[in-house]
């Protein structure tokens, strides 16, 4: 039964005609609360959550410990600005910096901002060390780096970019995982920005040769190698960073989604040779790295770096991989499974241009089974559960996924037969 009230029209678990901008779907499910890897919609129905807020809620829903930390810090002070320091901010920065060859951390509020900062720092470095004209930025086919003008400029998908052109100049796209194409890099290139595993662009994982070639060519020309680990970072791939999983040795790492387990926070981790060139005023952010979000981030950091945490992500990932392989072997519409750790997927290949719509129907059927899943690219099923999901929920979620795929595959075959 539809119920229209001043902020939208409700229809069971769904709401439409809201005051939210139409860059998001008009009709969406309303989620009210959750516990662990389970969320509940407004009709009271529970779902196993293989979306984790698009790879954000790595510690699951309904965490009282995180709520207590945030409330404690809010009672003390919510915000001090970057004119002053707060202890959680300093502590989290020092942990992050110690996680690789970095000396400093710039905090922002989103993945786009983390990449924006990375690109600015790389250009500043090239400008101050090599002079004007060395500002090139290279990114890769199917890469996704954000929606702000700078990060969008490095994002591959033309439909995301074209309405907003002209974007920043000097950006070139090369084919992902193509070693030969990297010969085009030279000292005019300030930065290469790349995902160790493409979260939005179809879950392609960087291959070893490509990682090795990137490391070498960037070192040769003093190009700042930026690993966009907004989605792959902090345990998601079964290693602390996706770069570790694929053998990439970046100068800068950007983090965001899981960094404060659902609160907005990002980090751009930079090496000494860049930090040494920065002066007050070169970059900044009003809210970036405030005490509330960084205190929660500290708790996330403790959990993710706890002994055995990422090993367990790898094991759980293997469970998904095995199930997807099995499903794929018994299906005419599923391609080869791909991914790392707990960021896994499988393409839906129906042989026509309708792959995307078949996937849409699988996502709907999964909901009916009580499972929330994601899409990557146009036709890849993406699974990104909380990293601490229990085996029982994982197994049950995969069983629901299998039923959803089987149902839609069956319907699809019947339709093809009747046409
Ligand atoms: N980089 C990657 C790899 C991402 O997956 C995303 C978000 N999907 C972003 C950048 C942009 O992050 P945000 O939406 O927080 O700006």
């Amino acid at each position: 039964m539809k119920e229209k009230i001043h902020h939208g029209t409700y229809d069971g678990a769904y709401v439409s005609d809201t005051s939210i901008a139409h860059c998001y779907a008009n009709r969406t499910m309303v989620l009210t609360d959750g516990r662990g890897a389970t969320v509940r919609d407004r009709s009271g129905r529970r779902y196993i959550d293989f979306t984790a807020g698009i790879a954000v809620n790595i510690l699951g829903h309904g965490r009282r410990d995180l709520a207590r930390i945030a409330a404690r810090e809010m009672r003390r002070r919510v915000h001090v600005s970057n004119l002053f320091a707060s202890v959680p901010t300093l502590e989290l920065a020092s942990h992050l910096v110690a996680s690789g060859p970095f000396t400093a951390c710039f905090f922002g509020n989103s993945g786009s901002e983390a990449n924006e900062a990375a690109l600015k720092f790389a250009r500043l470095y090239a400008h101050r060390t090599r002079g004007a004209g060395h500002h090139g930025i290279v990114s890769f086919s199917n890469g996704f780096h954000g929606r702000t003008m700078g990060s969008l400029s490095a994002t591959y998908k033309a439909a995301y970019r074209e309405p907003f052109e002209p974007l920043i100049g000097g950006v070139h796209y090369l084919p992902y995982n193509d070693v030969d194409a990297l010969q085009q890099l030279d000292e005019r290139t300030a930065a290469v920005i790349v995902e160790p595993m493409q979260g939005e662009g179809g879950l392609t994982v960087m291959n070893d040769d490509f990682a090795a070639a990137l490391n070498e060519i960037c070192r040769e020309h003093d190009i700042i190698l930026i690993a966009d680990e907004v989605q792959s970072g902090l345990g998601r791939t079964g290693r602390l960073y996706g770069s570790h999983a694929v053998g990439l040795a970046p100068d800068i790492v950007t983090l965001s989604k899981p960094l404060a387990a659902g609160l907005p926070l990002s980090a751009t981790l930079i090496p000494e040779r860049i930090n040494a060139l920065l002066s007050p005023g070169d970059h900044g952010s009003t809210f970036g790295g405030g005490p509330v979000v960084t205190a929660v981030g500290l708790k996330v950091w403790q959990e993710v770096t706890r002994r055995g945490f990422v090993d367990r992500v790898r094991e759980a990932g293997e469970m998904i991989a095995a199930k997807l392989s099995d499903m794929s072997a018994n299906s005419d519409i599923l391609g080869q499974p791909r991914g790392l750790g707990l960021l896994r997927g499988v393409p839906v290949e129906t042989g026509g241009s309708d792959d995307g719509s078949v996937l849409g129907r699988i996502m709907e059927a999964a909901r009916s089974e009580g499972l929330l899943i994601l899409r990557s690219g146009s036709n890849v099923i993406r699974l990104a559960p909380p990293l601490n999901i229990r085996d029982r929920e994982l197994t049950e979620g995969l069983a629901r996924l299998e039923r959803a795929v089987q149902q839609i595959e069956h319907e699809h075959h019947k339709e093809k037969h009747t046409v």
Side-chain angles (χ1 to χ4, degrees), residues 73-111:
E73 295 301 323
M74 289 185 79
R75 279 196 299 271
R76 289 178 178 161
R77 74 244 160 296
V78 175
H79 177 75
V80 298
S81 88
N82 285 299
L83 300 173
F84 303 96
S86 74
V87 173
T89 312
L90 302 173
E91 278 192 34
L92 182 60
S94 79
H95 283 300
L96 291 171
V97 159
S99 70
F102 315 111
T103 51
C105 167
F106 176 84
F107 285 119
N109 310 282
S110 67

Side-chain angles (χ1 to χ4, degrees), residues 110-112 115 144-146 195 200 228 230-231 256-257:
S110 67
S112 298
N115 289 334
F144 185 93
H145 302 294
E195 294 162 89
E200 302 297 319
D228 177 346
V230 166
Q231 191 156 164
S256 183
K257 285 173 177 288

Side-chain angles (χ1 to χ4, degrees), residues 240-254:
L240 180 60
Y241 297 132
S243 298
H244 298 168
V246 303
L248 193 69
D251 299 295
I252 294 183
V253 164
T254 61

Side-chain angles (χ1 to χ4, degrees), residues 58 99 196-197 205 208 229 231-248 253 255 258 301 303-306 308-318 339-344 387:
I58 53 170
S99 70
M197 170 182 175
V205 177
D208 296 351
E229 298 244 17
Q231 191 156 164
S232 62
L234 293 176
R236 177 57 66 186
T237 63
R239 309 266 175 203
L240 180 60
Y241 297 132
S243 298
H244 298 168
V246 303
L248 193 69
V253 164
L255 301 170
W301 184 257
E303 293 281 312
V304 171
T305 56
R306 198 162 40 77
F309 186 92
V310 295
D311 301 328
R312 147 87 188 125
V313 171
R314 268 204 309 284
E315 282 162 24
E318 292 305 326
L340 291 169
L342 283 174
L343 187 52
R344 296 272 174 180
L387 299 187

Side-chain angles (χ1 to χ4, degrees), residues 29-364:
M29 196 160 82
V30 182
L31 299 179
T32 53
D33 59 338
R35 189 138 211 93
T38 302
V39 280
R40 198 157 57 152
D41 72 22
R42 92 179 260 281
S43 74
R45 192 147 183 242
R46 287 173 210 277
Y47 304 81
I48 294 175
D49 183 9
F50 279 7
T51 73
I54 320 189
V56 168
N57 306 309
I58 53 170
L59 302 182
H61 299 282
R63 294 279 302 223
R64 300 227 168 96
D65 54 348
L66 302 184
R68 264 197 302 274
I69 291 167
R72 179 194 70 206
E73 295 301 323
M74 289 185 79
R75 279 196 299 271
R76 289 178 178 161
R77 74 244 160 296
V78 175
H79 177 75
V80 298
S81 88
N82 285 299
L83 300 173
F84 303 96
S86 74
V87 173
T89 312
L90 302 173
E91 278 192 34
L92 182 60
S94 79
H95 283 300
L96 291 171
V97 159
S99 70
F102 315 111
T103 51
C105 167
F106 176 84
F107 285 119
N109 310 282
S110 67
S112 298
E113 279 174 85
N115 289 334
E116 204 73 40
L119 294 171
K120 285 183 71 179
F121 293 152
R123 276 203 168 166
L124 180 141
Y125 175 79
H127 195 269
R128 298 217 171 134
T129 56
R130 304 203 279 279
H134 300 86
H135 56 260
I137 292 169
V138 166
S139 64
F140 296 93
S141 53
N142 297 319
F144 185 93
H145 302 294
R147 305 285 200 160
T148 55
M149 289 295 199
S151 63
L152 181 61
S153 304
T155 290
Y156 182 72
K157 192 170 166 178
Y160 290 160
R161 280 185 283 113
E162 278 169 4
F164 309 105
E165 287 172 352
L167 295 171
I168 67 166
V171 182
H172 308 280
Y173 312 101
L174 297 180
Y176 190 70
N177 274 343
D178 181 339
V179 171
D180 293 340
L182 298 178
Q183 295 312 319
Q184 295 178 46
L185 299 178
D186 60 28
E187 72 288 342
R188 289 169 301 176
T189 313
V192 164
I193 182 165
V194 67
E195 294 162 89
M197 170 182 175
Q198 297 188 315
E200 302 297 319
L203 301 183
T204 309
V205 177
M206 186 180 288
N207 68 43
D208 296 351
D209 291 349
F210 192 66
L214 270 175
N215 294 340
E216 191 186 317
I217 294 170
C218 288
R219 205 172 305 130
E220 185 187 336
H221 299 295
D222 201 16
I223 297 165
I224 301 299
L225 178 53
I226 302 166
D228 177 346
E229 298 244 17
V230 166
Q231 191 156 164
S232 62
L234 293 176
R236 177 57 66 186
T237 63
R239 309 266 175 203
L240 180 60
Y241 297 132
S243 298
H244 298 168
V246 303
L248 193 69
D251 299 295
I252 294 183
V253 164
T254 61
L255 301 170
S256 183
K257 285 173 177 288
L259 191 53
L263 293 179
L265 176 63
S266 69
T268 304
L269 308 180
I270 60 173
E272 176 57 22
R273 73 188 197 279
I274 291 182
N275 197 39
L277 296 179
L278 294 177
S279 310
D282 281 335
H283 193 49
S285 163
T286 292
F287 289 113
V292 179
V293 290
T294 49
V296 173
L298 267 172
K299 176 69 183 170
V300 173
W301 184 257
Q302 281 160 10
E303 293 281 312
V304 171
T305 56
R306 198 162 40 77
R307 223 183 135 129
F309 186 92
V310 295
D311 301 328
R312 147 87 188 125
V313 171
R314 268 204 309 284
E315 282 162 24
E318 292 305 326
M319 279 173 65
I320 303 189
K323 182 68 178 181
L324 292 181
S325 291
D326 184 44
M327 284 169 57
S328 173
N330 291 305
S331 161
D332 290 334
I333 62 168
L334 297 183
Q336 275 303 103
R338 39 179 96 158
L340 291 169
L342 283 174
L343 187 52
R344 296 272 174 180
V346 61
V348 177
E349 292 163 351
T350 55
S353 56
D354 58 352
D355 289 1
S357 66
V358 174
L359 171 51
R361 286 165 60 188
I362 291 173
M363 294 172 79
E364 276 297 310

